[in-house]
Amino acid sequence: MKKTILLLFALAFISFNAIAQKINWVTLEEAVALQKKTPKKIMMDVYTNWCGPCKMLDKNTFQNEDVAAYVNKNYYAVKFNAEGNDEINFNGQKFSNPNYNPALAKRRNSAHELSRYFQIQAFPTIVFLDEDANLIFPLKGYKTPEQMELYLKMFKKDDHKTLDTQDKFNEYYKAFNYEFKS
C-alpha cells in the first residue's frame, strides 16, 4: 500500500513538473555567445534580492506558461542581480561590483557597474537588447503576463521602431490582441 501511494505521489510530481513551463535562464555572456550562432533578442531581468516586486515578477509573470514559452522561443533570457558580485564581460568591457559587501547580500548593497551602464534606477527593470546586444529599451517595474505580452511581442517584431510618438504607441496599445492567459 505504501509503495502504491508513493508511486502516485511521484507520478503526480513528475506530471506537474512536465506541464509547468520554465524560462531557460542563461548568463549575459552565454546569451551574447548564443546570439552569434542563432540571432535572437535578449530579455534581461534586472533584480535585487530585497525587491518584493522582483519576487512577484518571478512568481506571477515569469512562471506563466505563455510568457515562459514565448520567451524561450523568441529570446535569450538573462537574470542579473543589480547588486550582486558577479564579474561580467560585455561589449569588450569588464563589469563588477567593487563596493559589494557580502554581509549585505540579502539587503541593499552597492550597485553593480553593469546596472549603472544600463542606467537602471528601479527594480525590477527588464532590459531588452537587440540581436547585436544593443539596448532597445529598459522596461521598469512589475508587469503582469498580459503587460509583458505587449512588450515581448512588440520588441520581437521590431514594431517599436515605428512607434516614435506617444499617440502611435497608444494606438498600438489599443489595437493589440492579447493572447496570454493569466
Side-chain angles (χ1 to χ4, degrees):
M1 183 69 167
K2 279 185 181 180
K3 288 182 180 179
T4 305
I5 292 172
L6 285 173
L7 180 63
L8 289 174
F9 276 120
L11 287 173
F13 180 76
I14 291 168
S15 298
F16 177 76
N17 282 339
I19 293 170
Q21 181 81 28
K22 297 201 187 268
I23 291 179
N24 300 321
W25 299 103
V26 297
T27 67
L28 183 56
E29 290 100 333
E30 290 169 334
V32 171
L34 288 166
Q35 280 186 321
K36 292 178 177 148
K37 295 176 187 170
T38 307
K40 285 187 191 180
K41 291 178 174 63
I42 294 173
M43 179 200 77
M44 182 166 61
D45 174 28
V46 182
Y47 71 96
T48 63
N49 290 330
W50 51 263
C51 169
C54 299
K55 292 175 176 133
M56 288 174 47
L57 186 68
D58 268 340
K59 181 181 177 189
N60 301 332
T61 304
F62 293 145
Q63 299 281 330
N64 177 283
E65 287 182 37
D66 293 324
V67 171
Y70 192 85
V71 168
N72 287 340
K73 180 179 179 185
N74 298 291
Y75 288 87
Y76 294 116
V78 173
K79 270 205 168 300
F80 172 66
N81 183 350
E83 295 179 351
N85 196 28
D86 293 336
E87 186 172 288
I88 297 169
N89 294 303
F90 179 70
N91 278 352
Q93 295 178 308
K94 282 189 180 189
F95 297 92
S96 65
N97 191 347
N99 296 318
Y100 177 79
N101 181 346
L104 301 176
K106 299 290 181 191
R107 297 185 298 222
R108 291 185 187 260
N109 215 317
S110 66
H112 196 284
E113 292 171 339
L114 187 64
S115 60
R116 288 190 195 121
Y117 175 83
F118 285 119
Q119 299 179 349
I120 305 300
Q121 299 172 353
F123 305 106
T125 294
I126 302 162
V127 174
F128 289 91
L129 304 173
D130 68 14
E131 292 83 354
D132 296 315
N134 297 311
L135 180 65
I136 297 173
F137 186 75
L139 181 63
K140 296 177 187 175
Y142 170 78
K143 301 293 180 238
T144 64
E146 293 82 12
Q147 291 168 323
M148 274 300 294
E149 179 182 7
L150 173 83
Y151 291 97
L152 286 169
K153 290 182 177 178
M154 180 177 67
F155 295 133
K156 164 66 176 109
K157 297 175 185 174
D158 287 328
D159 290 345
H160 64 283
K161 292 179 179 180
T162 63
L163 304 177
D164 55 357
T165 67
Q166 187 64 48
D167 289 337
K168 287 181 183 178
F169 177 80
N170 291 344
E171 287 176 33
Y172 183 86
Y173 176 80
K174 288 177 189 172
F176 188 78
N177 183 24
Y178 292 90
E179 298 170 340
F180 290 2
K181 296 175 191 111
S182 296

